[in-house]
């Protein structure tokens, strides 16, 4: 055989899993992200007393397809003095970083996407933070005031909150003892409890920091429409903008996956080791069946016949999934599938809850001003995260060296950390009160301030 | 009662008749007042109208209360006239003393709010413009109007130092009437584009008139489209 | 010119940046151009360029009869058209020396107070949207929809209503008018609580609005700012109480006052004004007097020569009409004192020293409508 052909075959044999998963990610994730956008719009509408997209497809379900087609056929506008290569490169970098980091995430005990590398978590965090380059380059290449200001703000925000997020993750990693994703979840199974109950402060910090990481409200000043039009994305239109947008939503999924893995027990069900809670294993099937039953109930109330049929179709799909989830529980030879299938279900449920929380916060809270945002990151979250790391470390030492009960140790240190947090907030309030009693700095008074 | 004023205007169109007839009871003096006016545009309505033959209520009456007395004491001849029109007092003052009178009004008489500042154009008069300053006093809950007759081309003192709200108000008067104010920090047009020629609220500016050159140059259309 | 040189000394010795919040901008509430002179993110001065919506309404007035001009007045502050109409009709009535009958006055009061609520709802929704809260806008529009339905049933129009006529009203209150207003008012208390829950105690909201755009009472009066802006700075003054018009002297209501004169206080003042308007409506519908709705004015209006100045407390501030009559059917001069125009002057004083993000909040809190600023 030709040596090059042989080399190629060996390459494919070693790496075929990764290659296939790469193709799957690039093919599937944009679709998922598109539907995530639709979900957000529907949720937003629900919380705002309206309906959301309803026209394109039944209940607006083909809206993402329509949006994608529209964005693809849009005219490609490049600003006059923009740096063309960098202008092209920036959204690509952003999206690539987000999609690549998905490769190391594991959705189930045997479902890692590409490969379960031994520095899995570090890989995910590190690669997803490369998306920052996409933002800076995009803002710079657009050759516009608004874009540069937005890009700089966004960069500063991301860097600050990544520090906090990383420190929060360190506390979780101290408990897990490893960076390998599957091993982290197995550690939670071994402990018998999700890490969120052992290190709640770390989870909270990570939630807040990850909202800032993904430029979501209330930390979405860089993209605030009402202030800088769209910040670094102002000059991007059509598919380039779609890349940025998809990168942002893919980041949301990644961040949700990391939080789920490290804090929410990954693919474990609640109370994974408690035997008398084994009835919880029935929950996935029951939940899906309940959704199907609700669809059947609503099918009767649809105004149009095609909508009724559609609801029936959805109901049947739900029942099919419920069946798939239920059968391995009952049929003995298929029991080996339970951890995988149910694990995937629990994992997806947790990510969905996490992302739902993101969306819920977006619709409820106003936006932080940039200086308040930076203050929150540097003055409150990072000190708190550092103290939390210390706390968890001390708790582990107490447990390992001094034989304390793990729970007792963690409760004590969490109490101390929370006390420290309250102290920080009190300090912050005092600082804010002092700053506000000194009125905003007066501009040099040579100018007549009443001149129109 | 309504017959007497009707006689001189019987060759007129029937409109004043019907006006008089339908609105006779509460507006009898109104129709009596209105009767001569369709015939001739009033030449000087700034002066209080001459009392009509038998009106139960006068629209404008000369004003002589304590406030007027104080102003007259302070400024003497600068107070050209003091009238009460429909229970709202106004003083007609000389333009030369505008700044002093304004200062006095704010500081002594406590008219701390310049509620409005505008102008009216009476083209047939010698002093064609009437600057109108409407003052309000929070402590006394009272309004006073100052009328300052100005000739075309004459400038007035700016009131920005006294009431900073006059800044944009004076710019608008300049924009619409062409009256310049001395001492204004930023005397330029406010509502119309800066290069616009003409002052629209003057009576000789026809309602359909536009600065066609500006429109053609900046909007690229022929004016009037 | 030496001001410019002194000004150009910025923190790092860099040039001052002039950022244009151009006529097209999602947050300037209309076509308003604000030139911001920035040092980094701090505002050192602002200059407003207005006139994009100037339609020459005052010139048009000189070529229309008094009744023909009434619909034009709605289009100035198009968010609160009923108030504009009230001010104009009352001014011409004073010029004619007639009074609207009591029934007309009470119905006018109810409509005007409903319009005040509607105007404040738009303000709240858009202000919250500018600051980033996406949801209150839709809740506010949902409430405003109810008010606009009442207007539509009354006079046929939702936005530019031309609801009143000179001398009174043209339309009798429709059959279920009192019931509709009562239903709305009873429901509204709960809705205001929704807005309060979303915003008032929210620390992000407080952080964005406390001490932003402070204007003390002296500056307010000096700059001519009126309405909620004046009341939030501590001046307890409302034209409805100082010089009552329509039927306001018959009802009891409070005047909300702020202390600091910052954006948060203006927000609280307007929220409380909405509550007070609701109370006025409830009091008014209990006892609408019977009687005629149009006073004795002819078809052709020829006020005696002279002039009048009449102002009302519009939702945005003091809305004044100065009308000069020469005895003909067409006014000689109509001058409209626009509250938004005069309040907007205060932008420069309020925005100095703040960040760019605050400028948006300050423009929102002034509650301007460009139709009124430019006329």
């Amino acid at each position: 055989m030709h040596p090059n052909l042989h080399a190629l075959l060996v390459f494919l044999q070693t790496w075929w899993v990764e290659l296939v998963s790469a193709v799957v990610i690039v093919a599937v994730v944009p679709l998922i992200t598109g539907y995530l956008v639709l979900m957000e719009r529907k949720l937003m509408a629900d919380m705002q007393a309206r309906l959301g997209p309803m026209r394109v497809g039944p209940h607006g379900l083909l809206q993402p397809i329509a949006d994608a087609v529209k964005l693809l056929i849009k005219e490609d506008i490049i600003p006059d003095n923009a740096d063309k290569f960098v202008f092209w490169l920036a959204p690509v970098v952003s999206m690539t970083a987000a999609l690549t980091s998905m490769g190391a995430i594991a959705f189930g005990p045997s479902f890692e996407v590409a490969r379960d590398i031994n520095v899995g978590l570090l890989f995910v965090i590190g690669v997803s933070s490369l998306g920052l380059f996409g933002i800076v380059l995009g803002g710079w290449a657009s050759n516009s005031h608004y874009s540069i200001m937005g890009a700089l703000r966004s960069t500063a925000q991301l860097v600050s909150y990544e520090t906090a997020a990383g420190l929060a993750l360190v506390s979780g990693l101290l408990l897990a003892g490893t960076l390998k994703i599957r091993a982290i979840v197995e550690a939670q199974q071994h402990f018998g409890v999700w890490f969120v109950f052992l290190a709640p402060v770390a989870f909270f910090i990570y939630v807040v920091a990850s909202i800032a990481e993904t430029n979501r409200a209330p930390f979405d000043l860089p993209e605030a429409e009402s202030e800088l039009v769209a910040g670094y994305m102002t000059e991007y239109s059509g598919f380039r903008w779609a890349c940025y947008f998809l990168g942002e939503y893919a980041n949301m999924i990644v961040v949700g996956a990391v939080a789920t893995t490290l804090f929410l027990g990954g693919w474990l069900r609640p109370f994974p080791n408690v035997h008398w809670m084994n009835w919880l294993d029935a929950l996935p099937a029951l939940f899906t069946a309940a959704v199907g039953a609700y669809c059947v109930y609503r099918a009767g109330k649809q105004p149009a016949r095609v909508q009724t049929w559609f609801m029936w179709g959805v109901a049947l799909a739900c029942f099919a999934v419920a069946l798939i989830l239920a059968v391995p529980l009952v049929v003995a030879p298929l029991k080996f599938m339970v951890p995988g299938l149910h694990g995937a279900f629990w994992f997806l449920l947790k990510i969905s809850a996490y992302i739902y929380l993101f969306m819920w916060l977006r619709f409820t809270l106003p936006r932080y001003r940039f200086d308040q945002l930076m203050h929150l990151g540097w003055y409150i979250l990072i000190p708190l995260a550092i103290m939390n790391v210390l706390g968890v470390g001390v708790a582990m030492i107490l447990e390992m060296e001094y034989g304390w009960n793990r729970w007792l140790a963690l409760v004590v240190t969490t109490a101390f950390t929370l006390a420290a947090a309250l102290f920080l907030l009190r300090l912050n309030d005092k600082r804010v009160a002092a700053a506000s009693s000194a009125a905003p700095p007066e501009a040099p008074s040579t100018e007549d301030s009443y001149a129109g | 009662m309504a017959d007497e004023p009707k006689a001189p205007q019987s060759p007129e169109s029937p409109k004043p008749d019907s006006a008089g007839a339908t609105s006779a009871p509460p507006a009898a003096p109104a129709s009596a007042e209105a009767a001569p006016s369709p015939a001739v545009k009033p030449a000087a309505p700034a002066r209080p109208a001459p009392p009509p033959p038998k009106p139960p209520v006068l629209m404008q009456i000369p004003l002589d209360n304590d406030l007027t007395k104080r102003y007259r004491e302070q400024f003497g001849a600068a107070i050209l006239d003091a009238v009460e029109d429909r229970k709202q007092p106004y003083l007609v003052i000389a333009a030369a003393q505008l700044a002093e009178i304004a200062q006095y009004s704010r500081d002594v008489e406590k008219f701390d709010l310049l509620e409005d500042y505008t102008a009216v154009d009476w083209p047939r008069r010698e002093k064609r413009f009437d600057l109108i300053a409407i003052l309000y006093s929070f402590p006394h809950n009272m309004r006073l109007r100052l009328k300052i007759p100005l000739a075309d081309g004459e400038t007035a003192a700016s009131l920005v130092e006294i009431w900073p709200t006059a800044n944009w108000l004076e710019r608008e008067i300049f924009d619409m009437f062409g009256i310049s104010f001395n001492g204004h920090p930023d005397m330029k047009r406010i509502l119309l584009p800066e290069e616009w020629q003409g002052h629209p609220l003057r009576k000789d500016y026809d309602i359909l008139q536009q600065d066609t050159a500006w429109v053609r140059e900046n909007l690229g259309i022929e004016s009037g489209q | 010119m030496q001001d410019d040189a002194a000004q150009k000394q910025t923190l790092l010795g860099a040039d001052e940046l002039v950022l244009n919040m151009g006529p097209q901008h999602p947050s300037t509430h209309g076509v308003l151009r604000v030139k911001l002179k920035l040092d980094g993110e701090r505002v050192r001065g602002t200059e407003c360029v207005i006139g994009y919506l100037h339609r020459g309404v005052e010139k048009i007035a000189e070529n229309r009869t008094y009744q023909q001009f009434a619909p034009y007045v709605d289009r100035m502050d198009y968010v609160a058209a009923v108030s504009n109409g009230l001010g104009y009709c009352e001014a011409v009535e004073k010029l004619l020396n007639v009074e609207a009958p009591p029934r007309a006055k009470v119905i006018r009061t109810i409509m005007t107070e409903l319009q005040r609520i509607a105007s404040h709802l738009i303000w709240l929704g858009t202000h919250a949207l500018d600051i980033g809260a996406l949801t209150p806008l839709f809740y506010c529009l949902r409430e405003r929809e109810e008010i606009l339905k009442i207007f539509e049933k009354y006079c046929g129009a939702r936005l530019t209503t031309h609801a009143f006529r000179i001398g009174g009203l043209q339309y009798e209150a429709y059959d279920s008018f009192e019931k509709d207003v009562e239903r709305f008012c009873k429901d509204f208390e709960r809705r205001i609580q929704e807005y309060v829950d979303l915003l008032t105690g929210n620390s992000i909201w407080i952080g964005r609005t406390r001490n932003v755009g402070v204007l003390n009472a002296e500056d307010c009066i000096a700059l001519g700012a009126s309405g909620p802006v004046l009341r939030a700075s501590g001046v307890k003054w409302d034209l409805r109480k100082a010089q009552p018009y329509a039927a306001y002297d018959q009802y009891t209501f409070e005047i909300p006052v702020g202390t600091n004169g910052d954006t948060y206080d203006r927000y609280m003042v307007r929220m409380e004004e909405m509550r007070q308007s609701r109370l006025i409506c409830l009091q008014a519908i209990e006892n609408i007097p019977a009687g005629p709705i149009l006073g004795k004015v002819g078809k052709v209006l020829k006020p005696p020569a002279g002039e009048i100045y009449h102002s009302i407390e519009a939702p945005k501030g003091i809305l004044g009409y100065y009308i000069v009559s020469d005895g003909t059917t067409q006014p000689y001069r109509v001058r409209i004192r626009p509250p938004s125009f005069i309040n907007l002057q205060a932008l420069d004083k309020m925005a100095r020293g703040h960040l760019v993000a605050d400028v948006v909040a300050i423009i929102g809190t002034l509650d301007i409508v460009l139709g009124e600023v430019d006329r």
Side-chain angles (χ1 to χ4, degrees):
Chain A
M1 206 190 288
H2 196 265
N4 282 345
L5 188 58
H6 182 74
L8 182 64
L9 283 174
V10 167
F11 172 79
L12 284 177
Q13 198 175 25
T14 333
W15 295 101
W16 73 272
V17 173
E18 285 75 6
L19 286 174
V20 167
S21 20
V23 170
V24 166
I25 291 182
V26 174
V28 169
V29 170
L31 195 67
I32 296 180
T33 320
Y35 276 91
L36 206 61
V37 175
L38 176 67
M39 277 302 106
E40 171 159 34
R41 289 172 68 175
K42 285 296 222 180
L43 265 176
M44 189 193 305
D46 185 48
M47 291 194 190
Q48 290 170 349
R50 52 191 183 90
L51 287 175
M54 291 289 283
R55 289 198 158 267
V56 187
H59 289 277
L61 279 174
L62 293 178
Q63 182 75 38
I65 317 281
D67 284 340
V69 171
K70 179 207 81 173
L71 288 167
L72 280 170
I73 63 179
K74 243 188 173 169
E75 178 187 354
D76 193 19
I77 302 177
I78 302 186
D80 208 10
N81 290 328
D83 187 336
K84 289 207 171 41
F85 174 64
V86 178
F87 194 79
W88 167 86
L89 185 66
V92 170
V93 166
S94 207
M95 196 165 177
T96 308
L99 292 181
T100 311
S101 60
M102 280 201 181
I105 297 174
F107 288 94
S110 27
F111 279 164
E112 65 271 11
V113 182
R115 180 186 281 237
D116 193 22
I117 52 183
N118 54 352
V119 285
L121 205 67
L122 188 61
F123 177 84
V124 172
I125 308 288
V127 172
S128 66
S129 62
L130 287 178
L132 220 128
F133 284 110
I135 295 177
V136 175
L137 292 174
W140 173 253
S142 303
N143 197 33
S144 139
H145 271 323
Y146 286 133
S147 306
I148 290 184
M149 280 179 82
L152 290 177
R153 279 178 171 176
S154 191
T155 311
Q157 174 185 326
L158 257 60
V159 165
S160 328
Y161 281 86
E162 242 166 58
T163 318
L167 285 170
L169 289 177
V170 165
S171 331
L173 288 174
L174 279 175
L175 291 168
T178 167
L179 281 169
K180 202 163 191 239
I181 295 213
R182 238 196 270 165
I184 294 176
V185 181
E186 278 161 16
Q188 288 180 73
Q189 187 161 31
H190 173 72
F191 279 31
V193 72
W194 298 350
F195 284 161
V196 64
F197 299 109
L198 295 178
V201 182
F203 179 63
F204 172 74
I205 297 174
Y206 188 72
V207 168
V208 176
S210 58
I211 300 179
E213 278 289 298
T214 44
N215 275 339
R216 299 278 303 175
F219 302 105
D220 62 348
L221 197 60
E223 338 181 311
E225 253 185 33
S226 37
E227 286 161 38
L228 291 183
V229 191
Y232 63 92
M233 284 200 257
T234 312
E235 301 294 335
Y236 285 88
S237 61
F239 197 63
R240 299 179 200 279
W241 177 83
C243 280
Y244 267 129
F245 211 56
L246 290 181
E248 178 183 320
Y249 279 80
N251 251 330
M252 252 170 52
I253 301 179
V254 166
V255 140
V258 167
T260 308
T261 309
L262 192 56
F263 291 108
L264 292 177
W267 53 80
L268 301 171
R269 65 147 210 261
F271 302 104
N273 291 346
V274 180
H275 282 289
W276 59 271
M277 289 283 221
N278 271 356
W279 55 269
L280 281 174
D281 273 332
L283 270 188
L286 284 176
F287 179 73
T288 326
V291 172
Y294 183 70
C295 286
V296 170
Y297 168 65
R298 294 297 302 179
K301 298 188 181 229
Q302 295 299 311
R305 192 126 53 97
V306 65
Q307 286 178 318
T308 314
W309 288 347
F310 174 73
M311 277 304 213
W312 271 107
V314 171
L316 284 174
C318 286
F319 286 137
V321 172
L323 206 64
I324 295 175
L325 288 171
V327 158
L329 276 179
V330 185
V331 176
L334 293 176
K335 267 230 159 59
F336 69 94
M337 290 169 69
V338 169
L341 274 179
H342 285 221
F345 175 87
W346 286 113
F347 196 89
L348 290 173
L349 187 70
K350 289 170 199 173
I351 291 194
S352 307
Y354 198 79
I355 295 181
Y356 179 83
L357 182 69
F358 271 32
M359 294 182 180
W360 191 4
L361 287 174
R362 178 182 180 203
F363 312 140
T364 314
L365 297 174
R367 195 176 291 134
Y368 272 112
R369 204 175 57 215
F370 192 63
D371 61 327
Q372 296 166 338
L373 201 157
M374 297 301 279
H375 175 80
L376 187 72
W378 287 99
Y379 278 75
I380 300 184
L381 279 187
I382 292 185
L384 190 59
I386 294 177
M387 279 186 261
N388 190 51
V389 169
L390 286 175
V392 172
V394 163
M396 301 214 65
I397 291 182
L398 286 175
E399 183 205 341
M400 289 196 285
E401 301 285 314
Y402 295 95
W404 281 41
N405 181 333
R406 181 187 313 129
W407 281 98
L408 181 62
L410 280 164
V411 163
V412 167
T413 50
T414 307
F416 272 112
T417 314
L418 285 174
L422 287 173
F423 176 65
L424 267 180
L425 286 173
R426 179 80 54 80
L427 265 184
N428 180 50
D429 283 340
K430 280 213 202 98
R431 191 200 84 104
V432 164
S436 61
S437 59
E442 288 298 324
S445 46
T446 51
E447 167 107 334
D448 178 8
S449 59
Y450 297 130
Chain B
M1 199 159 66
D3 283 322
E4 216 176 305
K6 262 201 214 165
Q9 44 126 341
S10 41
E12 285 287 325
S13 59
K15 267 202 232 128
D17 263 9
S18 54
T22 49
S23 57
S31 65
E33 283 283 314
S37 32
V40 57
K41 261 280 190 255
R47 284 188 245 109
K54 302 170 197 170
V57 160
L58 273 171
M59 289 292 118
Q60 291 104 4
I61 51 178
L63 182 66
D64 195 22
N65 58 6
D66 289 336
L67 182 76
T68 324
K69 289 201 180 76
R70 286 198 296 272
Y71 270 91
R72 286 218 156 103
E73 258 170 65
Q74 190 75 16
F75 296 102
I79 310 291
L80 303 174
D81 207 347
V83 183
E84 187 179 73
D85 185 345
R86 295 170 174 87
K87 300 206 195 71
Q88 297 187 344
Y90 65 83
L91 301 174
V92 183
I93 65 179
Q97 305 278 65
L98 172 60
E100 289 91 11
I101 296 181
Q103 189 82 42
Y104 173 79
S105 306
R106 188 193 74 171
D107 295 334
V108 179
E109 297 292 341
K110 302 290 175 217
F111 284 107
D112 37 8
L113 176 67
L114 177 65
E115 199 165 333
D116 200 6
Y117 197 17
T118 183
V120 188
D121 183 22
W122 301 100
R124 300 232 192 85
R125 257 179 22 185
E126 190 207 315
K127 291 221 161 194
R128 117 184 240 192
F129 296 116
D130 251 348
L131 275 180
I132 318 274
I134 301 174
L135 309 175
Y136 177 77
S137 163
F138 280 101
H140 303 311
N141 192 13
M142 185 169 91
R143 274 203 194 92
L144 178 70
R145 227 177 293 154
L146 295 178
K147 261 202 222 189
I148 306 105
L150 272 184
D152 195 1
E154 193 179 333
T155 59
S158 171
L159 300 181
V160 173
E161 297 294 313
I162 306 169
W163 293 291
T165 185
N167 191 317
W168 279 17
L169 291 165
E170 286 175 356
R171 276 176 69 182
E172 188 179 342
I173 299 177
F174 169 68
D175 196 359
M176 294 290 137
F177 289 93
I179 302 173
S180 251
F181 292 87
N182 301 326
H184 190 278
D186 200 18
M187 192 89 260
K188 62 180 194 227
R189 287 184 183 266
I190 188 167
L191 292 176
L192 291 170
E194 294 204 5
E195 310 84 29
W196 193 271
Q197 302 296 321
H199 298 281
L201 276 176
R202 295 186 172 205
K203 289 291 178 181
D204 45 6
Y205 196 101
D206 180 53
I207 186 156
L208 291 176
Q209 181 181 339
Q210 277 178 331
D211 182 358
T212 48
W214 187 93
V215 171
R216 194 181 306 124
E217 195 182 301
N218 289 281
L219 301 180
I221 53 173
E222 276 310 309
S223 185
Q225 284 179 15
Chain C
M1 306 309 119
Q2 38 100 268
D3 287 333
D4 285 326
Q7 265 196 319
K8 294 239 173 359
Q9 283 299 316
T10 61
L11 185 60
L12 295 172
D15 278 334
E16 204 175 60
L17 175 68
V18 176
L19 192 67
N20 197 23
M21 280 179 76
Q24 295 142 318
H25 192 281
S27 301
T28 52
H29 297 278
V31 270
L32 168 68
R33 179 177 169 206
V34 183
K35 289 199 232 178
L36 299 169
K37 303 185 191 72
L38 302 177
D39 168 20
E41 274 226 19
R42 291 241 164 241
V43 173
R44 300 177 119 237
T46 64
E47 189 190 327
C48 292
V49 179
I50 57 177
Y52 291 93
L53 202 49
H54 179 64
R55 293 153 292 176
V57 138
E58 296 179 0
K59 184 82 181 174
I60 292 176
E62 297 169 11
N63 290 270
R64 301 281 180 278
T65 65
Y66 289 90
Q67 296 104 319
Q68 280 175 339
F69 184 60
Y72 285 86
V73 149
D74 289 341
R75 277 122 176 106
M76 292 190 316
D77 178 3
Y78 37 76
V79 167
V82 171
S83 309
N84 299 12
L86 178 69
Y88 178 70
C89 290
E90 288 199 337
V92 179
E93 282 161 18
K94 269 197 187 173
L95 200 60
L96 287 168
N97 221 10
V98 299
E99 249 191 60
R103 181 177 173 82
K105 279 193 185 169
V106 171
I107 296 182
R108 278 180 173 181
T109 310
I110 299 175
M111 295 281 285
T112 311
E113 287 310 303
L114 284 177
Q115 182 66 275
R116 189 183 310 271
I117 298 176
S119 169
H120 284 340
L121 284 172
I122 286 259
W123 161 80
L124 180 62
T126 50
H127 189 216
L129 187 67
D130 290 340
I131 297 195
L134 305 172
T135 319
L137 175 65
F138 294 96
Y139 294 167
C140 292
L141 288 178
R142 180 188 58 191
E143 265 62 87
R144 189 179 146 92
E145 190 62 31
E146 300 304 314
I147 299 180
L148 295 183
K149 280 190 192 151
I150 295 177
F151 285 174
E152 190 181 10
K153 282 199 211 173
Y154 177 74
C155 58
R158 287 157 57 102
L159 192 70
T160 49
T161 42
H162 192 201
F164 307 143
R165 298 290 178 274
I166 297 170
L169 306 168
Q170 177 172 359
Y171 303 113
E172 186 55 76
Y174 62 93
D175 287 335
S176 56
F177 182 69
E178 283 107 318
K179 254 201 303 151
D180 281 346
V181 174
E182 190 178 8
R183 184 164 29 97
F184 169 77
C185 290
K186 292 238 156 74
D187 207 27
F188 192 53
E189 182 60 42
R190 182 168 57 96
R191 308 291 189 186
I192 297 190
Q193 194 52 43
E194 275 182 18
Y195 315 143
V196 167
D197 286 338
L198 271 177
L199 295 173
T200 303
N202 187 323
S203 67
I204 304 181
W205 178 262
I206 296 179
R208 286 299 297 267
T209 54
R210 264 279 148 89
N211 293 317
V212 168
V214 179
L215 199 61
N216 61 25
E218 273 170 32
D219 284 336
C220 260
I221 298 179
L223 285 166
S226 54
V229 179
L230 180 65
R231 286 191 277 282
S233 302
V235 180
K236 196 173 171 110
W237 183 87
D238 187 323
L239 201 51
R240 294 174 287 172
K241 289 243 191 223
Q243 302 188 342
Y245 52 94
Y248 284 104
D249 43 5
Q250 300 171 20
Y251 308 119
T252 46
F253 57 98
E254 300 288 320
I255 305 176
V257 192
T259 41
N260 282 344
D262 59 14
T263 303
Y264 188 72
D265 277 350
R266 285 186 278 272
Y267 159 79
M268 293 301 281
V269 164
R270 287 194 181 101
M271 294 292 275
E272 189 55 38
E273 271 186 15
M274 282 202 277
R275 285 203 181 93
Q276 295 302 318
S277 292
R278 174 187 162 267
L279 288 175
I280 297 178
C281 283
L282 282 175
Q283 289 173 52
I285 53 175
E286 271 169 33
N287 186 14
I288 306 185
I293 50 170
L294 193 64
K296 292 213 169 50
V297 287
K299 289 235 168 68
V300 176
L301 296 177
K302 270 206 240 173
E307 56 192 52
I308 193 80
Y309 177 77
H310 176 67
S311 58
I312 63 165
E313 183 79 30
K316 312 239 164 5
I318 301 176
L319 174 66
Y321 288 86
Y322 174 70
I323 307 183
V324 177
S325 154
D326 56 354
T328 58
T329 53
Q330 299 183 337
Y332 190 77
R333 167 100 171 95
V334 173
R335 154 75 183 170
I336 301 153
R337 187 251 188 220
S340 302
F341 179 78
I342 296 182
N343 288 356
L344 190 57
Q345 267 194 92
L347 178 67
D348 191 49
K349 188 119 207 343
M350 291 160 81
R352 292 204 167 202
H354 286 297
L355 304 179
V356 174
D358 293 327
V359 174
V360 170
I362 296 172
I363 295 179
T365 189
L366 282 174
D367 195 8
I368 56 170
V369 169
L370 264 300
E372 199 170 53
V373 172
D374 292 340
R375 285 157 284 133

